[in-house]
Amino acid sequence: MPTQTDIGDHLDLSQAEVSKLMAELEIDWRVVGMDDIRVAYIRKLRAVAAGHKSSDGMDLTRERVLTEQIDREMKQLALAEKRGQLVNVAQLEPELRQMFGAFKAELLTRDDKLRSEIEAMYGIDLDPQLLEDHTRAALRQLARYDPEHQGTVAPAGDGAGAGGEDEHDGLGDRASSDVGQEHVQAG
């Protein structure tokens, strides 16, 4: 079997280059013949010359394919955005906050309107806190909704979730301090 010096003389490489080449080609020069080493070296040179592999062994064709796929995806996203099929979340979020804040305010004023109408129509004097408790409970449940977990973060009865310690229900303005003092009623 040839020595690394013999291989270097045959391929016009230094002994250090031969050592590196044998590692790259995954060839054990002590058991492989000179003809096999030469053929492997020529194939490596051809691959580099054809642009299929870089000098460090990276598959350039595969890299080009990956780059083309990314370019295509970027163009598809740009096209979808121009067609109005994509929404910029950063632009949408303030509008959604404003919409949910208005929705919350409307729900909270609904309690007074509903109480007044029931009193006028049926002569029943309702405790306004009863209606407000149910409305705030619904708002807290909505604030805890987490679509990534297929439902709510915490059960409706406990104080955890988006409301947290500061009694913020996650929709619009901060809730009043009596929100955490919810009255639980059966039925």
Side-chain angles (χ1 to χ4, degrees), residues 65-116:
V65 168
L66 292 174
T67 301
E68 288 297 322
Q69 287 174 338
I70 291 170
D71 287 345
R72 184 182 72 238
E73 289 174 14
M74 294 296 291
K75 288 176 183 177
Q76 287 173 334
L77 288 172
L79 181 61
E81 186 176 15
K82 287 182 181 184
R83 288 181 175 166
Q85 296 170 330
L86 289 180
V87 177
N88 184 334
V89 174
Q91 291 174 342
L92 184 62
E93 189 175 358
E95 292 180 36
L96 286 175
R97 285 189 188 278
Q98 185 177 3
M99 182 183 75
F100 280 116
F103 176 70
K104 174 186 171 186
E106 184 64 30
L107 277 179
L108 293 174
T109 60
R110 173 199 64 117
D111 293 343
D112 288 334
K113 293 175 188 175
L114 187 58
R115 187 180 79 66
S116 298

Side-chain angles (χ1 to χ4, degrees), residues 13-150:
L13 299 172
S14 70
Q15 187 276 324
E17 290 172 321
V18 169
S19 180
K20 182 180 173 190
L21 176 67
M22 295 300 109
E24 286 176 13
L25 296 175
E26 297 177 353
I27 294 176
D28 184 356
W29 56 274
R30 292 169 288 226
V31 296
V32 177
M34 186 70 81
D35 290 338
D36 292 332
I37 293 171
R38 183 181 60 250
V39 169
Y41 179 62
I42 291 170
R43 286 182 179 160
K44 179 187 183 320
L45 292 176
R46 283 182 183 153
V48 170
H52 298 296
K53 294 205 185 240
S54 67
S55 60
D56 63 357
M58 181 182 277
D59 186 347
L60 296 178
T61 303
R62 181 176 182 276
E63 291 299 316
R64 285 186 194 110
V65 168
L66 292 174
T67 301
E68 288 297 322
Q69 287 174 338
I70 291 170
D71 287 345
R72 184 182 72 238
E73 289 174 14
M74 294 296 291
K75 288 176 183 177
Q76 287 173 334
L77 288 172
L79 181 61
E81 186 176 15
K82 287 182 181 184
R83 288 181 175 166
Q85 296 170 330
L86 289 180
V87 177
N88 184 334
V89 174
Q91 291 174 342
L92 184 62
E93 189 175 358
E95 292 180 36
L96 286 175
R97 285 189 188 278
Q98 185 177 3
M99 182 183 75
F100 280 116
F103 176 70
K104 174 186 171 186
E106 184 64 30
L107 277 179
L108 293 174
T109 60
R110 173 199 64 117
D111 293 343
D112 288 334
K113 293 175 188 175
L114 187 58
R115 187 180 79 66
S116 298
E117 285 185 29
I118 289 173
E119 191 174 324
M121 291 175 73
Y122 302 106
I124 300 172
D125 186 24
L126 284 176
D127 179 8
Q129 192 65 40
L130 177 69
L131 294 173
E132 187 175 324
D133 287 347
H134 287 287
T135 300
R136 294 224 182 251
L139 287 171
R140 280 192 304 277
Q141 184 71 13
L142 182 60
R144 280 191 296 270
Y145 178 73
D146 185 359
E148 297 205 6
H149 290 95
Q150 300 291 340

